[in-house]
Amino acid sequence: MSQAMDFDTLRQAMADNYEQPEGPARNARAEQLLVEAEKLNIPLAVIEALGHQLKVYNYSSEKDKMFVPFARLLRMWDERPEDFDEYEIHSLHWVFKWMSAGMLDQPHIPLASIEKWLGEMEHRYRLAGHSERAVRGAEFSVAAHLGDLERAERAYTAWLAADRDTMADCHACELHSQGWWRAVRGADAEALELWGPVLEGEYTCAHEPHTVLASSLVSLLRLGRVDEARAHHLRGFRLVRPMESMRGAYADHVEFCALSGNEARALELLAERPSYFTDSGDPRSKLDFMAVTALLMDRLTGLGLGDQAVPGPAGRVWTSGELAVHARGEALSLAARFDARNGTSYVSERARARMDQPALVDRLPLGVRSTRSARAGLRATAPAPLPRAVTEAAEEAAAVASSEPDLSALLTDARRLSALRSPEAVEAWAAVSRAAEGHELDLRDRAEIADHAAMERGPEGIELFHRAAELYAEAGDPGEALAARSRAAYIHALSGATEEALTAASELYEKVLALFEEGGTGVSQTASVLVGRARILMHRVDEAEGGAGAEPEAAGSAEAGGDVVAAAEEAARELLALAEPHVADVPLASRAAEAQAMLGELAARSGDAEEATERLSLAVETFVAAGLPWFAVEYDSRLAGIALRLGDTDRAERAARAALDHAGAYLEPMGQAQLHLQLAEILGTSGQLRPASEHALEAAHWADEAGQAGTLGAWARHQLGGFLLRQGRWAEAAEVLESALPDLTTDMHGDGAIVQTRWWLGDCLTELGEHREAAEHWLRAADIAQHWPEQRDHAMLAHLAAEALGHAGLPGQADQAYARAGDLWRGLGNAHGLVRALRARAWAAARTDGGLDGARELMGAAVRECESAIAGASLDSGSPEDSDARHRLVAELGHTYRQFGDLVVRSVPNDAEGASARAAFEEALGHITEAVSVIASLGPEALHSRTGAELAAGWLEADLGRPASAAARARAVLAAYEGYEEAAGPDETVQARRAEANQLLELREE
């Protein structure tokens, strides 16, 4: 049998247990500790153990267990109040409020008992001399739960009117309740105003801003403040996720996802907390959770996903349709129990209203991706939509088809759209093809149908192009026949047979020019053949340069490459000369614009950015003037890239925005993702971080829609996380970066992106106080960077990880990381990094097994490294750069001496005997005196550092019984600042230094 704990050990065990994650394990440990407390035969030990048990029950899924320890505590108080110390008396009265709320949450506790308890609370608070504020707050909670709005408003007013005292909830919790009530009453804007101080961090506590962020979500959606809603979800869910007791707030996040078009993410949230479906210790939060589950499942069922497999209560496989029925039944059953207890229908009415909410936003991108399973399941049943304009065209064509359309009218419309080069022509010709089945058509009609069908089939369309050519020839249009064969040749080139295709295209080129010369065909057909040949030649340029994933041509010498480019340029110029005089004709304007674009591309390849910009700009202008803005998109984007390389971010931004504007509704999701990402990167380069974030967010969304969540989507999230981090939006950035990380791969994105993402994550997590997790990311990034030729990043990451491990209370691991960083800094010749790593190790050694001796050794090594670096710098030339480097090294040495002295002083135990303490103070004084001397050599710019060290030395002089020396140092500080404010203006540091020096002088006089 193990030996019983003593009281101090018990207290430490309870403190340690309270730091553990919420849940049954922590509760079970609290129950064991109560048994240990009872063995001590010390009433206060039992009181504290009961209080600890009550606290962990309250912050868990087993809230229904807290009534027993409280009843025992209250009985002990009534029988022997003298056993309670001041803290436990306060705690006992404090948890009266928990009991009131806890009873409301348990429908089996009669309403009469709750009202009686409320009176008991009021009586005991009055006896203890407490304000009515907490009592009226509790009464408000009861009335609001019952739906007694008049009583709730009276209690609300009385609550706010009563004086705040030690029993009042913290400001953050009170503001949450006040805002919640305004939101319930339909005053969302007032609610958010009340919540403002909590959201801005003015008031916080263990559960705030967690619940305020969750409660604000639907209010923000209702007000149309979607950007804030997104931010509150990302920030708030991160806080709520690890806390088992916050099922109600967790439900708010599920609800938000269901109402904002993020059903897949809502499913992920359900999957993360399977116990929430069944935990019965807090029926009220279970009602909330089941209600939003029903809301989500109804939403999925309404989208046609009733058979979708979804996470649900353990023990069986659920579809969304089945879980919708189950969750609604559970929610209404729980609500009915509350209403039966309360004698009203209010809880059921609110539950139904919550479950039956319509979506508030069709699509609110969050920046994070859904898991593959959830996303894949939704996508398999509901594929990503086509662009709106194409969808509308398809619907219109389907409607016409269903009413037995007039084939001649369909042909007329298809030819009109083709003449306009409209994206809707594709579906129009498909409608013609469907309608033509079973009809006798003339040769021309059949040729055009075959021609346009071939355009959509890639390599499989080559034979169909040839069939169209035969039909055109039979119909008496030899020019169009040549054009169709030219289109086939281009597809043949794209299939890998470039030289064979070029031979065919050249024959067609000769034939069409001869035919055109004879008047046997028109400009349009001739231009079609010329553009086909020019495209093949441009493709050959790509191949010659290894572009488009192709291998360079075997004869890819500089000379051969020049011939290839020259041929392509000649073809583009010939096309331009033919088409440019006819730009009033839309198809020929398109050919002229494409020729300009080809010339621009060739100029860009040759490094002539000015010519490239001019040509591509002409291409864009020609497309837009012809009413073909969607064809300008590619060249807008190219212009943006060229301008960015030239450092002209303004022009790059204009071009990227033009690309998005010109794309309109016709761009596929992948194109949308690419354009938004390009604009995001341009805006980020120019420091426009908020709009950059918005476009990176859109890029991530569209990449997901295109089925590229793990490729372009991951890169967009990587960029988005960086933009959010640079704005100080740490929690949002962390959520996005964590979402991106699993999809980032060395092959697709490069190991630099992985290292950068982990680096950024470490920065975010440090700001959020998650130091151990930050260290993990930095160390994993360092493991990748250790293989890079340049080792500075490796050293920086190891150093950052060491700092984080120190903050996480892991000194041994921190020392190892500092040692690793120090070795790397030494290898890089970076004295500053090496010295700082040695100093950090010294401080850690002083607090661990290394003790003061180990710390002295490390700090001494830091001094020697500084001195060695200074000596080396002194031998360099007298350039300003070398002088500045030496200056910084001297400052590092002064700082090291100062830390050496501080370390020795702080290592003196409080109970140290006079002689040992005096010896340590003498040693410390020596180091700090050296610091003063070194820092003084740096001149006026190091004044504050010098006076700080001087005062530290003065206090040591005083501790050593040398008042005159202490006074001399104080006077030196005052003298150093004579006339300072007249020269430099008011300075808080100066004022603090003067005050400290005067305090030192007063001590000497005493």
Side-chain angles (χ1 to χ4, degrees):
M1 182 180 294
S2 61
Q3 186 175 359
M5 295 180 176
D6 60 28
F7 199 178
D8 288 339
T9 305
L10 174 70
R11 282 174 162 165
Q12 185 59 52
M14 289 189 291
D16 292 342
N17 189 48
Y18 192 66
E19 294 302 315
Q20 297 303 306
E22 296 177 350
R26 187 171 74 158
N27 295 352
R29 177 59 173 158
E31 292 162 3
Q32 293 171 359
L33 291 175
L34 176 58
V35 173
E36 294 294 329
E38 290 169 334
K39 295 176 183 178
L40 296 176
N41 199 29
I42 301 173
L44 184 59
V46 176
I47 290 167
E48 291 185 13
L50 285 167
H52 172 66
Q53 191 181 82
L54 195 157
K55 188 181 295 185
V56 299
Y57 283 155
N58 186 59
Y59 294 120
S60 78
S61 61
E62 298 179 310
K63 290 188 178 184
D64 55 336
K65 290 185 175 182
M66 67 182 178
F67 300 106
V68 172
F70 182 75
R72 184 176 173 186
L73 271 174
L74 193 59
R75 185 172 65 253
M76 293 176 73
W77 166 254
D78 287 339
E79 293 173 353
R80 292 180 55 83
E82 64 273 16
D83 289 340
F84 287 69
D85 62 16
E86 184 176 351
Y87 177 81
E88 293 303 328
I89 293 171
H90 178 274
S91 297
L92 177 69
H93 285 81
W94 181 268
V95 296
F96 266 88
K97 298 179 295 183
W98 295 358
M99 294 303 107
S100 176
M103 289 179 176
L104 279 177
D105 294 345
Q106 303 294 331
H108 69 277
I109 298 179
L111 182 59
S113 297
I114 296 172
E115 295 286 7
K116 180 181 178 182
W117 181 257
L118 194 59
E120 179 78 7
M121 177 181 175
E122 182 173 8
H123 171 68
R124 288 181 180 266
Y125 271 42
R126 187 181 300 115
L127 288 178
H130 296 307
S131 162
E132 283 195 349
R133 191 176 183 93
V135 176
R136 298 284 76 84
E139 182 187 6
F140 159 74
S141 297
V142 172
H145 172 69
L146 297 175
D148 188 342
L149 303 184
E150 291 184 7
R151 182 186 179 192
E153 288 290 359
R154 286 196 308 272
Y156 181 89
T157 302
W159 167 32
L160 299 190
D163 293 335
R164 282 188 57 83
D165 65 355
T166 57
M167 283 297 112
D169 282 342
C170 74
H171 283 289
C173 289
E174 284 203 336
L175 288 172
H176 171 250
S177 297
Q178 292 164 26
W180 170 82
W181 181 238
R182 300 327 300 161
V184 167
R185 302 288 287 174
D188 290 317
E190 290 180 36
L192 288 161
E193 186 175 354
L194 282 164
W195 289 327
V198 182
L199 295 171
E200 293 163 9
E202 183 178 348
Y203 300 121
T204 61
C205 71
H207 287 76
E208 295 296 352
H210 314 43
T211 55
V212 163
L213 286 164
S215 296
S216 71
L217 294 171
V218 173
S219 290
L220 287 166
L221 288 180
R222 284 196 293 246
L223 291 171
R225 292 160 61 174
V226 294
D227 290 339
E228 292 172 75
R230 176 195 302 111
H232 286 199
H233 169 62
L234 294 177
R235 178 182 165 201
F237 184 68
R238 188 175 192 84
L239 296 172
V240 167
R241 178 188 274 138
M243 304 181 76
E244 186 204 40
S245 64
M246 301 197 75
R247 179 163 55 181
Y250 199 99
D252 291 341
H253 286 277
V254 176
E255 177 183 38
F256 162 79
C257 292
L259 297 177
S260 62
N262 288 287
E263 296 85 2
R265 179 165 171 84
L267 290 177
E268 292 176 39
L269 268 57
L270 295 188
E272 280 191 34
R273 285 292 190 181
S275 63
Y276 277 176
F277 288 104
T278 53
D279 284 346
S280 59
D282 183 12
R284 196 171 179 184
S285 70
K286 184 178 181 182
L287 166 56
D288 291 334
F289 188 77
M290 298 310 290
V292 301
T293 298
L295 168 70
L296 173 62
M297 296 305 133
D298 284 347
R299 173 85 177 139
L300 292 173
T301 303
L303 292 171
L305 302 171
D307 294 330
Q308 168 75 31
V310 294
R316 57 164 289 185
V317 176
W318 295 89
T319 66
S320 54
E322 293 166 342
L323 187 55
V325 174
H326 172 78
R328 181 173 288 266
E330 284 277 296
L332 291 177
S333 175
L334 285 165
R337 290 175 59 198
F338 281 107
D339 283 341
R341 188 268 304 276
N342 299 340
T344 70
S345 60
Y346 184 70
V347 175
S348 294
E349 290 167 4
R350 284 184 55 78
R352 285 192 177 90
R354 191 171 197 182
M355 291 187 286
D356 296 339
Q357 293 175 94
L360 296 172
V361 180
D362 289 336
R363 176 182 75 87
L364 177 57
L366 300 178
V368 293
R369 70 163 293 178
S370 300
T371 59
R372 286 184 176 83
S373 58
R375 174 67 66 181
L378 289 178
R379 190 176 298 283
T381 315
L386 291 169
R388 178 174 50 80
V390 176
T391 303
E392 290 172 354
E395 290 173 352
E396 182 179 349
V400 172
S402 66
S403 59
E404 300 201 1
D406 180 356
L407 182 56
S408 63
L410 288 177
L411 275 165
T412 299
D413 191 50
R415 287 168 178 153
R416 176 184 63 81
L417 292 171
S418 291
L420 295 174
R421 293 291 193 268
S422 170
E424 297 173 15
V426 174
E427 181 55 37
W429 280 107
V432 168
S433 181
R434 290 191 297 269
E437 292 180 9
H439 288 73
E440 287 292 332
L441 300 175
D442 64 30
L443 290 170
R444 178 74 189 196
D445 294 343
R446 290 160 59 197
E448 288 185 84
I449 291 171
D451 200 2
H452 286 90
M455 293 177 190
E456 297 304 305
R457 296 190 184 182
E460 295 178 2
I462 291 175
E463 289 303 318
L464 200 52
F465 274 127
H466 287 298
R467 175 60 182 153
E470 292 171 0
L471 291 168
Y472 280 129
E474 289 182 45
D477 192 343
E480 201 62 62
L482 293 173
R485 294 189 186 282
S486 178
R487 288 188 277 275
Y490 178 54
I491 298 300
H492 197 43
L494 294 180
S495 302
T498 305
E499 293 304 320
E500 185 180 335
L502 183 58
T503 300
S506 297
E507 293 176 2
L508 295 169
Y509 164 77
E510 297 293 344
K511 289 179 180 179
V512 83
L513 287 182
L515 191 63
F516 180 61
E517 185 69 25
E518 297 168 359
T521 192
V523 176
S524 180
Q525 292 82 356
T526 305
S528 293
V529 175
L530 264 60
V531 78
R533 176 171 173 270
R535 286 171 178 171
I536 294 171
L537 287 165
M538 290 295 294
H539 180 65
R540 192 170 68 151
V541 171
D542 277 340
E543 289 184 328
E545 296 183 0
E551 292 296 326
E553 291 288 318
S557 65
E559 183 179 351
D563 291 343
V564 168
V565 171
E569 182 177 347
E570 182 182 354
R573 291 188 184 279
E574 188 175 6
L575 173 63
L576 180 62
L578 175 69
E580 194 169 32
H582 307 281
V583 292
D585 179 79
V586 171
L588 288 169
S590 174
R591 301 305 187 206
E594 187 172 353
Q596 293 282 17
M598 289 177 180
L599 292 170
E601 290 288 350
L602 293 170
R605 289 170 184 269
S606 69
D608 189 344
E610 185 176 343
E611 172 75 6
T613 299
E614 182 180 348
R615 291 289 186 177
L616 291 170
S617 297
L618 284 170
V620 167
E621 291 167 10
T622 305
F623 277 127
V624 173
L628 305 171
W630 44 86
F631 286 130
V633 172
E634 177 183 352
Y635 308 112
D636 284 318
S637 179
R638 191 80 168 93
L639 279 168
I642 293 171
L644 190 62
R645 284 197 299 276
L646 294 173
D648 189 347
T649 53
D650 289 342
R651 185 166 190 170
E653 181 184 343
R654 289 196 301 273
R657 289 190 184 279
L660 278 169
D661 290 341
H662 291 152
Y666 296 110
L667 199 60
E668 293 294 328
M670 191 60 175
Q672 290 278 5
Q674 292 167 334
L675 291 183
H676 279 290
L677 185 56
Q678 182 183 41
L679 181 53
E681 291 172 344
I682 291 167
L683 292 166
T685 299
S686 61
Q688 300 178 67
L689 299 177
R690 183 167 288 278
S693 301
E694 293 167 359
H695 286 284
L697 181 69
E698 285 292 321
H701 166 76
W702 285 112
D704 290 351
E705 288 296 309
Q708 296 296 318
T711 53
L712 187 65
W715 181 252
R717 275 179 269 278
H718 163 82
Q719 295 283 55
L720 173 58
F723 295 141
L724 292 170
L725 172 123
R726 289 165 64 187
Q727 295 172 69
R729 295 160 67 177
W730 315 112
E732 295 170 67
E735 283 291 304
V736 171
L737 292 168
E738 287 173 348
S739 176
L741 192 57
D743 289 317
L744 293 172
T745 65
T746 299
D747 291 342
M748 177 62 65
H749 306 96
D751 56 11
I754 299 171
V755 167
Q756 183 64 81
T757 299
R758 290 196 181 279
W759 197 322
W760 281 339
L761 260 173
D763 291 339
C764 292
L765 296 173
T766 295
E767 294 290 340
L768 296 170
E770 300 174 35
H771 299 292
R772 186 168 190 160
E773 293 79 4
E776 180 182 350
H777 283 292
W778 281 329
L779 286 172
R780 293 182 69 177
D783 288 342
I784 298 173
Q786 70 178 327
H787 303 294
W788 294 354
E790 167 55 51
Q791 287 290 285
R792 187 179 184 281
D793 285 341
H794 182 195
M796 279 293 299
L797 288 162
H799 203 120
L800 288 168
E803 292 178 356
L805 289 165
H807 288 304
L810 299 167
Q813 295 178 40
D815 183 71
Q816 292 177 5
Y818 275 125
R820 174 183 180 179
D823 289 342
L824 290 165
W825 290 129
R826 180 179 282 107
L828 290 166
N830 188 319
H832 298 280
L834 172 57
V835 168
R836 290 168 189 174
L838 287 167
R839 288 200 308 248
R841 293 184 66 196
W843 282 104
R847 295 190 292 267
T848 56
D849 295 341
L852 184 56
D853 288 341
R856 281 195 186 101
E857 182 179 344
L858 288 163
M859 200 65 84
V863 169
R864 291 191 296 275
E865 292 291 346
C866 267
E867 291 174 338
S868 175
I870 291 168
S874 300
L875 300 176
D876 293 332
S877 68
S879 68
E881 293 79 9
D882 289 337
S883 176
D884 181 63
R886 186 179 188 283
H887 190 88
R888 288 186 293 108
L889 286 167
V890 172
E892 198 76 74
L893 177 60
H895 194 48
T896 302
Y897 272 124
R898 171 65 196 273
Q899 284 202 34
F900 204 159
D902 290 344
L903 182 147
V904 172
V905 169
R906 294 183 192 181
S907 299
V908 176
N910 292 331
D911 58 353
E913 296 181 1
S916 63
R918 185 176 185 84
F921 289 164
E922 289 283 11
E923 180 188 353
L925 179 60
H927 296 310
I928 294 178
T929 299
E930 286 283 357
V932 172
S933 175
V934 171
I935 295 170
S937 71
L938 298 172
E941 67 184 68
L943 177 61
H944 293 337
S945 295
R946 177 171 68 83
T947 55
E950 192 83 70
L951 287 167
W955 288 111
L956 283 170
E957 299 274 21
D959 288 338
L960 288 166
R962 301 168 188 163
S965 297
R969 291 188 183 274
R971 292 192 190 96
V973 170
L974 293 173
Y977 287 121
E978 284 182 3
Y980 184 92
E981 289 183 352
E982 288 76 5
D987 187 304
E988 290 183 5
T989 302
V990 174
Q991 294 170 4
R993 293 281 194 272
R994 283 175 172 164
E996 189 176 351
N998 285 320
Q999 185 182 1
L1000 193 54
L1001 286 173
E1002 290 169 7
L1003 179 66
R1004 185 244 186 185
E1005 292 171 1
E1006 291 173 2

